Amino acid sequence: MKNIFFYLTFFLFCITSCKNKPTEKVNTDSSNNKWWKEAVVYQIYPRSFKDSDGDGVGDLKGIISKLDYIKSLGIDVVWLNPIFSSPNDDNGYDISDYRGIMKEFGTMNDFDALLKGMHERGIKLVLDLVANHSSSEHEWFKESRSSRTNPYRDYYHWWPAEKGKPAHRWSFFDVNADAWMYDSATNAYYLHYFSRKQPDLNWENPKVRKEIFDMMNFWFDKGVDGFRMDVIPFISKDTTFPELPKEYNGDMVAYYANGPHLHEYLKEMNKEVLSKHNVMSVAEGAGVTAATAHNFVDEDRNELNMLYHFEGVSYGYVDGKFKTPDPNGYKLVGFKEIYSKWDSIFSNKGWGTIYLGNHDQPRMVTRWGNDAPEFREPSSKMLTTFLLTMRATPYYYFGDELGMSNIKFDKIEDYNDIETKNHYILLQTQKGDIKQFLEAAKISARDNGRTPFQWDATANAGFTTGTPWLKVNPNYKNVNVAAEVGNVNSCLSYFKKAVQLRKNNKVLVYGKYELLDKENPKVYAYTRGEGADKILVVLNFTKEKIDWALPVGLAIDKTPLLNNYQTFSASDAIELQPYQALVLKVK
Ligand code: TEU
């Protein structure tokens, strides 16, 4: 009798557990749901957001004055680019005091008021951890370079000149593309992957790691909700500095992102800091590939929460030419392949992000949409629809909600960015094609995404009463918050609707992603979710009118959940207007 009871129980157990076992590894397990997966992140470049004291540079009090605007967007998290003390060789990515506020941005009291104001509005604040390198004006580096026996010497990477020049390392920002800088004070070279004023910190030194971890805990103890981690894949170096290993086949950045102790350090960071706070962490995944992504973000790795890749934003540039758009290099089919691949990478483990703009990128409407007057708005809204309906945490760049576009400077003197200016000098040295470089920079240069935020049609777009640190885009007269906030058909109103759509439909966060009509060269269509909870997204990436045939058997609700036009007509096909975006409930 007992045995029968046992077998019956066991049988029932099997039935129930098999029944509940998801047929697809889709995120049905709500314990996988996290606030940072469901959040919409809004990135603010503080230098260009709002200037409160007329010095022409944005500041923390300026952001405080606009907290209600930020709240009105409906976003959940603000990522602030670096606000720490800096000589601004790379606009804050060269930190001279990790616990001080950049003097142009204000004071620690201003920061405390900003954080309080954000939390009072239910907005989390993520800061920018720039720990692969510091500023050469940091006290640590001043000490380190003063003598070979200084206690801070090993906070950085030095190579004694009597051993000859060390093996070549490429620099992103050096005028000779050389990451070794000779320093006569101690007759040695120091390493700088970026500018000469951004010496790389020696993470192999446990004292450096402790300094960084203590600093992170300082900000978390103040209530900060997370860090975006600047080129964090680069932090570990083989300090024997060998020639570039052959297996990297010349790919220096991939080598930088695969240092010998990288994941040990990230696990240590998680143990010593991240695991002690309810915070989010996102890696700027320079050099990270599909093959290495999971090592950073799988939950069982106990390292970081998510990462952003560069494969998408780098697509369509000429190989070997600095950020030069290739008119034949971009195909929508290729774009769809990249973003579908990265969705599948994180479909069962780990978690991704999605972005098209940030402070290192041009304005998305210029790069991926169409900034011609008749298409700027619909294509901007179409791209916004893409970002807010994919399975990844959206990182949305300030100003894109207005449809801000590239300023397209004509001359090098208008640029501020060290990357553009030093590549210009390097090209001059190489007797390269300067005209072509400046034409390419109109599309791809980072300063295009850094022009002052456009608040209204008054002088300097209401950004400053002084002289702006970077020129304001002349289109501010009609592309600005004041002109858009009351217009239900504006980019700004559309962004707010798209954010609410995502928040009201968790299937847009966790639902299965399925690409449709893969080879279509003009339309990007996909579904999110399954069964009764399925949504269809259809994006026309061209300025043409297109009849897009509905897949057989896919019936849609004729009232769109979101539409960047006033019109919508569908029978067996959906009539798509130029750059039309539609989000439709599947019946
Ligand atoms: O950027 C890292 C990075 O990959 C840079 O090379 C950047 O993407 C460049 O535009 C690529 O051409 C981070 C920061 O986001 C960037 O603003 C800093 O300049 C850089 O690190 C150094 O801190």
Side-chain angles (χ1 to χ4, degrees):
M1 192 58 185
K2 238 185 344 180
N3 280 352
I4 293 173
F5 177 73
F6 165 76
Y7 284 119
L8 188 61
T9 313
F10 177 68
F11 176 70
L12 284 175
F13 167 75
C14 282
I15 293 286
T16 46
S17 59
C18 293
K19 185 166 68 66
N20 292 338
K21 198 177 289 301
T23 47
E24 287 256 324
K25 282 186 180 174
V26 178
N27 256 316
T28 53
D29 170 2
S30 60
S31 69
N32 269 333
N33 296 3
K34 303 283 183 198
W35 62 265
W36 41 266
K37 291 182 180 178
E38 300 174 13
V40 175
V41 180
Y42 182 71
Q43 179 193 350
I44 292 177
Y45 195 64
R47 196 173 186 80
S48 297
F49 189 64
K50 176 67 179 168
D51 170 24
S52 71
D53 59 8
D55 67 354
V57 176
D59 48 46
L60 301 187
K61 281 187 173 145
I63 301 173
I64 291 169
S65 73
K66 295 297 182 180
L67 283 174
D68 288 336
Y69 168 76
I70 297 168
K71 176 69 180 168
S72 75
L73 299 175
I75 53 94
D76 310 280
V77 179
V78 163
W79 157 28
L80 269 190
N81 290 98
I83 58 171
F84 313 105
S85 304
S86 167
N88 288 302
D89 192 52
D90 183 18
N91 288 353
Y93 282 92
D94 48 319
I95 296 171
S96 54
D97 177 1
Y98 285 95
R99 302 183 197 207
I101 300 299
M102 190 190 301
K103 62 182 182 314
E104 296 90 328
F105 287 173
T107 66
M108 188 60 87
N109 288 341
D110 296 335
F111 172 79
D112 293 339
L114 174 64
L115 182 62
K116 182 171 179 289
M118 285 193 177
H119 284 172
E120 282 168 351
R121 291 167 176 82
I123 298 168
K124 294 181 182 291
L125 176 60
V126 168
L127 297 182
D128 210 320
L129 178 75
V130 187
N132 172 69
H133 47 271
S134 76
S135 163
S136 53
E137 295 184 21
H138 196 292
E139 283 309 313
W140 297 339
F141 190 72
K142 290 179 184 173
E143 291 291 325
S144 178
R145 80 188 316 177
S146 66
S147 90
R148 293 192 179 188
T149 56
N150 184 288
Y152 288 91
R153 185 68 173 183
D154 288 341
Y155 272 47
Y156 298 86
H157 294 288
W158 290 95
W159 184 275
E162 61 270 21
K163 287 173 64 179
K165 186 103 192 284
H168 173 65
R169 291 292 182 268
W170 176 73
S171 165
F172 286 83
F173 295 163
D174 186 75
V175 288
N176 300 316
D178 182 351
W180 289 107
M181 179 69 188
Y182 178 73
D183 195 63
S184 57
T186 57
N187 187 34
Y189 297 88
Y190 68 85
L191 182 70
H192 62 93
Y193 281 174
F194 292 92
S195 88
R196 294 174 179 178
K197 297 196 69 178
Q198 294 171 290
D200 282 56
L201 283 161
N202 176 8
W203 275 71
E204 272 51 42
N205 180 348
K207 290 178 186 166
V208 168
R209 300 200 299 273
K210 184 172 185 326
E211 296 273 14
I212 300 299
F213 298 160
D214 289 350
M215 174 270 290
M216 292 173 71
N217 276 318
F218 167 82
W219 288 104
F220 284 143
D221 290 343
K222 286 180 76 70
V224 165
D225 302 291
F227 276 111
R228 174 266 188 187
M229 300 190 183
D230 191 64
V231 287
I232 201 73
F234 291 1
I235 57 175
S236 175
K237 275 85 171 174
D238 174 347
T239 51
T240 66
F241 294 105
E243 291 298 334
L244 182 66
K246 290 191 173 24
E247 64 261 32
Y248 284 95
N249 194 24
D251 187 346
M252 189 70 83
V253 175
Y255 177 66
Y256 288 173
N258 285 280
H261 305 289
L262 168 61
H263 293 288
E264 287 167 49
Y265 300 156
L266 293 180
K267 285 179 186 347
E268 187 183 355
M269 178 192 284
N270 187 297
K271 179 171 175 286
E272 297 303 323
V273 185
L274 299 174
S275 60
K276 296 174 176 170
H277 308 271
N278 176 23
V279 293
M280 65 176 254
S281 53
V282 51
E284 181 198 26
V288 174
T289 63
T292 59
H294 284 284
N295 298 337
F296 292 82
V297 297
D298 283 5
E299 296 207 24
D300 55 8
R301 295 275 302 176
N302 296 315
E303 294 187 22
L304 305 179
N305 296 139
M306 50 188 145
L307 71 82
Y308 65 82
H309 64 81
F310 281 71
E311 194 172 346
V313 291
S314 309
Y315 178 59
Y317 283 146
V318 175
D319 279 343
K321 289 193 91 165
F322 182 67
K323 291 189 173 183
T324 302
D326 175 355
N328 307 312
Y330 165 78
K331 301 269 186 291
L332 180 64
V333 170
F335 182 90
K336 295 193 285 189
E337 276 170 11
I338 290 169
Y339 286 96
S340 300
K341 176 180 82 170
W342 280 94
D343 172 83
S344 65
I345 287 168
F346 295 124
S347 55
N348 298 324
K349 287 184 84 178
W351 191 254
T353 69
I354 189 145
Y355 72 102
L356 290 175
N358 65 29
H359 65 293
D360 290 331
Q361 301 300 327
R363 285 288 173 188
M364 69 174 186
V365 73
T366 300
R367 178 88 161 78
W368 304 105
N370 186 330
D371 62 7
E374 66 270 36
F375 298 123
R376 182 186 57 79
E377 285 192 301
S379 69
S380 170
K381 295 173 185 175
M382 183 274 291
L383 295 170
T384 291
T385 311
F386 170 62
L387 292 175
L388 291 166
T389 58
M390 288 291 280
R391 176 169 49 185
T393 298
Y395 281 67
Y396 199 90
Y397 191 51
F398 86 131
D400 284 344
E401 76 272 24
L402 304 178
M404 281 178 66
S405 54
N406 278 16
I407 191 168
K408 301 179 182 174
F409 289 135
D410 288 314
K411 51 189 193 304
I412 192 66
E413 292 74 18
D414 285 331
Y415 285 96
N416 165 279
D417 183 11
I418 188 168
E419 177 180 76
T420 304
K421 295 194 296 181
N422 281 6
H423 273 273
Y424 180 87
I425 294 169
L426 176 60
L427 200 62
Q428 281 180 313
T429 313
Q430 296 168 341
K431 308 253 184 295
D433 183 345
I434 293 298
K435 187 171 179 302
Q436 184 277 327
F437 174 86
L438 289 174
E439 277 310 300
K442 287 179 181 179
I443 302 300
S444 62
R446 303 195 303 182
D447 276 336
N448 284 297
R450 299 178 177 184
T451 58
F453 191 84
Q454 295 166 195
W455 291 103
D456 56 40
T458 64
N460 301 314
F463 162 71
T464 179
T465 55
T467 305
W469 72 279
L470 190 66
K471 284 181 183 171
V472 177
N473 192 318
N475 70 10
Y476 78 90
K477 291 286 188 190
N478 61 341
V479 181
N480 64 64
V481 172
E484 298 190 31
V485 68
N487 173 359
V488 290
N489 298 319
S490 66
C491 290
L492 176 57
S493 300
Y494 188 87
F495 172 71
K496 293 176 183 177
K497 279 186 277 190
V499 169
Q500 288 313 312
L501 180 74
R502 184 177 181 88
K503 305 193 89 52
N504 299 335
N505 293 275
K506 284 288 175 288
V507 67
L508 293 176
V509 178
Y510 297 111
K512 179 183 172 187
Y513 163 91
E514 188 177 353
L515 178 64
L516 305 178
D517 201 3
K518 181 177 168 193
E519 297 308 324
N520 190 311
K522 298 175 180 179
V523 174
Y524 190 165
Y526 49 92
T527 56
R528 297 296 320 278
E530 301 174 271
D533 196 12
K534 198 169 196 174
I535 283 178
L536 169 66
V537 181
V538 188
L539 308 171
N540 179 1
F541 266 74
T542 73
K543 61 184 176 184
E544 300 159 37
K545 287 188 178 182
I546 295 172
D547 281 337
W548 184 72
L550 272 164
V552 173
L554 195 72
I556 52 166
D557 190 319
K558 292 290 171 55
T559 308
L561 294 170
L562 197 61
N563 179 7
N564 65 346
Y565 275 77
Q566 312 309 314
T567 58
F568 169 64
S569 68
S571 51
D572 295 339
I574 295 178
E575 207 180 284
L576 293 171
Q577 300 303 314
Y579 299 105
Q580 185 157 16
L582 285 163
V583 182
L584 300 156
K585 187 85 182 73
V586 172
K587 279 184 179 164

